[in-house]
Structures are given as C-alpha cells and as structure tokens.
Amino acid sequence: MEEQLNILKAENIYREFETPDGSLGVLKGVSLTVQPSEMIAVTGESGVGKSTLLHIFGGLDRPNSGLLEISGESMLTKNQQELARFRNGKIGFVFQSHYLLSDFSALENVMMPILIADKSPSYARQRGEHLLEQVGLIDRAKHLPSQLSGGEQQRVAVARSLANEPEIVLADEPSGNLDIASGQKLHELLFNLNEKNKTAFVIATHNL
C-alpha cells in the first residue's frame, strides 16, 4: 500500500525572538505531521507560542531552524512572491480577528482570494455563494461586515479561508473574540466542514 503524503510535515521547528533581556525561545524542537482530512487542535495558555507556530506553518513567519513542508513542497526555500502564490492556493487562514474588508460585502470578501488567483468573476461568484451557503449565510451575502454579528463575521472568514479549495486551513483562536454560544457554533461549523469537504484543519485554541 502506497504511503499517504502528509499535507503538513514539520520537524524540529525552533523559533526565538530577541528581547532587551536576551533571546526568548518560544518554539523548541516542535515536530508535527498532518494527514489529509485530519483535524488537529494545538492547545495551551496564551503566550505559549500557538500563534507563532501557525504563522510559521502558513509561511507568515520563518523558524530559526527546522524543516517545514506543505503538500511535499518546502516552505522555507520559497521567496515572498512564491509564498504568497502558494498560500493563496494551498492554505486557508482564519484568525481571531476576522480581517474582512469593510467596504466589501460578505460575498465579495469570499470572492477576493479567487479573483486574486485569476479565476473568472462568474466562477468566483458561484464559488462564493456556494461557500456562504455552506456556512449558513447565503441570505447575508450582500451585507457589509459592519451589518453582521461577530459570529457571522467569523463564518464569512471561514468561508473565505476555503475559497480556493485549500488542502489545509490554519485557524488561530478562531472563537477567541466570540461569546461562548457563538464560539461553540463556530467550532461545530469547523467540524462539519472538515467532515464534508475533507479539508485538513489545524486549530490553535486555549478552549479545551
């Protein structure tokens, strides 16, 4: 039987930051593999390095040393332009803050990564509407972010993270700014999308 390719493979990831008091080691030899359609939670208190780890996984930060591959490709040998193109096609992001574009509708926010990938506007609209339907917000497609609740904004952000059918979604404290009920609904949505779309998820959270 052929060995299954890891979506993510990290080995001995080290990351330290320079402070006025000297070097601060945040990640010390972290290793992790993520299989297709797998869902993994990275838990721990605030400040232990969860966000740093996800930023490295997504190519938003670089480790001091270690190996990192997404879909068999090294993330540490690409330049910034190559990383941006690779991220847009292979990796989805959901952050604690939704980072929606305030002057664009929910649908336009979801369409944006698709248009950046040079897909046609008609396909971007069709895909965007499909994703908003998946997250239960098709009836809010024309609303601006300011017209949506916090939970709805995060659901739009989740839909946007799936725009280009990524192989993995990195979610950094996605329910951190939500009340308990909205956070629970968001986590249920992520589990449902993982099961339905077979997309791999790595979720950093302090919420056990």
Side-chain angles (χ1 to χ4, degrees), residues 149-171:
S149 70
E152 288 171 336
Q153 290 171 346
Q154 275 298 66
R155 281 194 276 161
V156 174
V158 169
R160 182 184 56 188
S161 76
L162 297 167
N164 286 320
E165 300 182 76
E167 297 185 12
I168 188 169
V169 171
L170 306 174

Side-chain angles (χ1 to χ4, degrees), residues 153-202:
Q153 290 171 346
Q154 275 298 66
R155 281 194 276 161
V156 174
V158 169
R160 182 184 56 188
S161 76
L162 297 167
N164 286 320
E165 300 182 76
E167 297 185 12
I168 188 169
V169 171
L170 306 174
D172 186 12
E173 299 281 8
S175 62
N177 286 337
L178 303 179
D179 59 73
I180 293 174
S182 297
Q184 183 65 32
K185 288 179 181 177
L186 183 74
H187 285 145
E188 289 171 1
L189 172 65
L190 296 179
F191 280 109
N192 289 337
L193 290 171
N194 167 255
E195 187 174 345
K196 182 180 294 184
N197 298 336
K198 306 304 180 187
T199 306
F201 281 81
V202 177

Side-chain angles (χ1 to χ4, degrees), residues 77-152:
T77 57
K78 297 180 185 297
N79 61 37
Q80 289 303 316
Q81 187 175 5
E82 291 169 337
L83 273 176
R85 192 181 309 116
F86 187 82
R87 271 196 303 263
N88 195 46
K90 296 280 189 180
I91 306 171
F93 288 93
V94 184
F95 298 98
Q96 185 169 341
S97 297
H98 53 76
Y99 293 120
L100 299 178
L101 299 171
S102 60
D103 293 334
F104 293 86
S105 69
L107 176 58
E108 289 167 335
N109 268 280
V110 179
M111 290 170 59
M112 198 64 67
I114 307 171
L115 295 172
I116 290 172
D118 290 329
K119 303 289 177 60
S120 71
S122 60
Y123 170 77
R125 177 170 293 276
Q126 181 184 24
R127 174 74 179 157
E129 289 174 346
H130 169 70
L131 288 169
L132 285 179
E133 196 164 353
Q134 278 200 326
V135 301
L137 286 176
I138 189 61
D139 60 330
R140 312 283 270 168
K142 295 181 180 179
H143 287 64
L144 297 174
S146 61
Q147 299 170 315
L148 302 173
S149 70
E152 288 171 336

Side-chain angles (χ1 to χ4, degrees), residues 12-17 24-31 42 47-57 61-65:
N12 290 318
I13 297 292
Y14 282 82
R15 184 69 171 102
E16 54 185 43
F17 296 93
L24 174 65
V26 177
L27 302 176
K28 304 173 183 179
V30 176
S31 296
V42 180
V48 299
K50 301 187 302 296
S51 295
T52 299
L53 184 65
L54 260 65
H55 288 176
I56 288 174
F57 286 169
D61 189 15
R62 288 184 182 268
N64 295 93
S65 62

